[in-house]
Every structure is written in C-alpha cells, then in structure tokens.
C-alpha cells in the first residue's frame, strides 16, 4: 500500500526522501479509502499487464487518472497571469 501511494507524493516534488515518506504516511492515515483504492488500482493494473503484456499501453492512463482523482488533486495546473 505504501509503494502505490508514494507515487502521488513524489509527484508533489517533495524536497527529500524523509519528507516524501512522511507525507505518504500522512495521506494513508488521513485518507484510508483513497489509499486503499490506489493500492487496488495498482494491483488491478499489475494483473492486467500480467495476463496481457500489451495491456500496459492501455491501463496506464486510466489508472493514473483514477489515482489523481481519488487524492483530490487537480490534473491541470491553473494558469498564472503575468
């Protein structure tokens, strides 16, 4: 569960390994349903790729989109006006 939830934390560009690990644990404790769903999606994706290796091309984008949506993170950064 920790490994599958570490990926969204690393996307935040944490300043160090300790900070990334701490934020991952905070997310798992703070949002257990989201952490469980992220782990389930990772297992489902791994199973799909094991059964059909070309499935890696098809499952990556939906799995990433679901993980992002579950963790309440915006998929597009807001535009800044200069």
């Amino acid at each position: 569960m920790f490994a599958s939830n570490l990926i969204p934390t690393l996307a935040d560009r944490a300043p160090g390994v300790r900070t990334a690990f701490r934020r991952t644990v905070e997310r798992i404790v703070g949002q257990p349903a989201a952490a469980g769903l992220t782990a389930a999606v990772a297992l489902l994706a791994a199973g799909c790729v094991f059964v059909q290796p070309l499935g890696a091309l098809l499952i990556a984008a939906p799995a990433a989109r679901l993980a992002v949506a579950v963790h309440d993170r915006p998929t597009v950064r807001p535009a800044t006006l200069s």
Side-chain angles (χ1 to χ4, degrees), residues 3-54:
S4 64
N5 285 287
L6 181 63
I7 295 167
T9 303
L10 291 175
D12 288 341
R13 296 187 184 118
V17 175
R18 287 183 180 176
T19 305
F21 282 9
R22 183 174 41 83
R23 286 183 185 169
T24 300
V25 170
E26 288 172 358
R27 282 186 178 174
I28 291 172
V29 171
Q31 298 176 335
L37 186 59
T38 303
V41 167
L43 287 173
L44 178 68
C48 289
V49 172
F50 178 74
V51 170
Q52 178 64 33
L54 290 177

Side-chain angles (χ1 to χ4, degrees), residues 51-79:
V51 170
Q52 178 64 33
L54 290 177
L57 300 173
L58 301 173
I59 197 69
R65 176 68 181 111
L66 184 60
V68 167
V70 166
H71 286 279
D72 295 326
R73 296 172 42 131
T75 55
V76 178
R77 292 192 178 121

